[in-house]
């Protein structure tokens, strides 16, 4: 399993015309099916006079959905989903709204139009990379302060929060670390403090950074 994934950093739109039909594509980051369905519902309300609202989304847990929105089976949702997967993206939804222009495109024409519109909206969207991480906590005697701080710096700790034990005789630090670095940090702390300091795991999370363009 990869330690990283790529998703969208913000929504984006694209528009194209094919034989008098207008296709409006909207791509957005999501973290759940409920969020994807809510965006689809909002899009339907905002563009209530459109002929079709076709959609697809892909989530990190493996969930993938494709909806033809009333178009012939397989002509809209699957090419939208293919655009998402072809871009190497997850945790995102794409909705392509069609205003029918009076000329039928045929199944092949619809597949191309919906796929191209979806791809254009994804290309227009900024991206970010998510890294699977863990939230950790360390309690340490003051004589181990330097060793703990060095280990956190070398490990690339982020979202660092310093504090003190209630008794006032020890320091505490909570931080987030990419999961691939957790064991190395635990080993370094153990060696540097003769086994006196070990991180406590507080749960899985994700660290994000903007993707290079």
């Amino acid at each position: 399993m990869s330690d990283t994934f790529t998703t969208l950093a913000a929504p984006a739109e694209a528009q194209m015309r094919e034989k008098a039909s207008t296709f409006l594509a909207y791509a957005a980051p999501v973290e759940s099916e409920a969020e994807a369905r809510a965006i689809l519902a909002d899009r339907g309300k905002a563009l209530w006079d459109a002929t079709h609202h076709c959609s697809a989304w892909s989530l990190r847990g493996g969930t993938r959905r494709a909806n033809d929105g009333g178009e012939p089976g397989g002509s809209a949702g699957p090419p939208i989903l293919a655009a998402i997967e072809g871009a190497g993206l997850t945790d995102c939804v794409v909705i392509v709204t069609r205003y029918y222009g009076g000329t039928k495109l045929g199944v092949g024409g619809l597949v191309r139009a919906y796929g191209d519109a979806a791809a254009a909206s994804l290309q227009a969207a900024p991206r970010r990379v998510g890294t699977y991480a863990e939230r950790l906590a360390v309690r340490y005697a003051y004589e181990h302060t330097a060793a703990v701080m060095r280990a956190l710096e070398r490990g690339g700790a982020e979202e660092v929060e310093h504090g003190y034990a209630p008794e006032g005789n020890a320091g505490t630090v909570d931080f987030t670390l990419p999961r691939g670095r957790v064991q190395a940090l635990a080993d370094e702390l153990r060696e540097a403090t003769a086994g006196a300091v070990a991180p406590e795991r507080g749960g899985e999370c994700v660290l994000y950074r903007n993707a290079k363009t």
Side-chain angles (χ1 to χ4, degrees):
M1 182 178 179
S2 174
D3 284 338
T4 64
F5 61 92
T6 305
T7 186
L8 303 181
E13 297 183 82
Q15 177 176 329
M16 60 173 292
R17 287 179 62 82
E18 183 69 25
K19 293 185 179 178
S21 283
T22 299
F23 294 83
L24 304 176
Y26 179 81
V30 293
E31 294 184 354
S32 68
E33 275 206 273
E35 189 178 357
R37 294 185 189 279
I39 292 174
L40 176 59
D42 289 344
R43 194 75 172 168
K45 291 176 183 177
L47 303 175
W48 58 269
D49 57 341
T51 314
H52 300 280
H53 296 285
C54 307
S55 61
W57 55 81
S58 176
L59 302 174
R60 270 181 287 143
T63 299
R64 288 169 176 77
R65 297 284 185 266
N67 189 324
D68 290 313
E71 294 281 27
S75 67
I80 296 172
L81 181 59
I84 295 173
E85 294 178 338
L89 297 168
T90 190
D91 278 8
C92 68
V93 59
V94 177
I95 302 160
V96 181
T97 298
R98 181 190 183 189
Y99 286 86
Y100 180 56
T103 301
K104 293 184 178 181
L105 301 180
V107 172
L110 291 172
V111 168
R112 287 190 297 273
Y114 279 103
D116 289 349
S121 67
L122 292 169
Q123 187 174 9
R127 302 184 183 188
R128 63 179 181 170
V129 175
T131 300
Y132 293 104
E134 290 191 41
R135 190 68 179 164
L136 303 167
V138 167
R139 174 176 171 139
Y140 56 92
Y142 291 125
E143 63 263 30
H144 297 311
T145 299
V148 170
M149 296 305 112
R150 281 196 301 269
L152 265 61
E153 182 177 0
R154 280 198 285 261
E158 299 185 39
E159 301 174 350
V160 179
E161 298 178 5
H162 296 278
Y164 302 93
E167 313 88 87
N169 62 350
T172 64
V173 59
D174 295 274
F175 56 96
T176 302
L177 198 70
R179 68 182 181 187
R181 302 177 189 172
V182 172
Q183 189 57 54
L185 179 130
D187 292 343
E188 181 174 350
L189 287 174
R190 184 182 64 253
E191 293 174 6
T193 64
V197 177
E200 295 183 6
R201 295 185 172 183
E204 298 179 350
C205 57
V206 176
L207 289 168
Y208 289 100
R209 70 177 187 277
N210 289 336
K212 295 180 180 180
T213 56

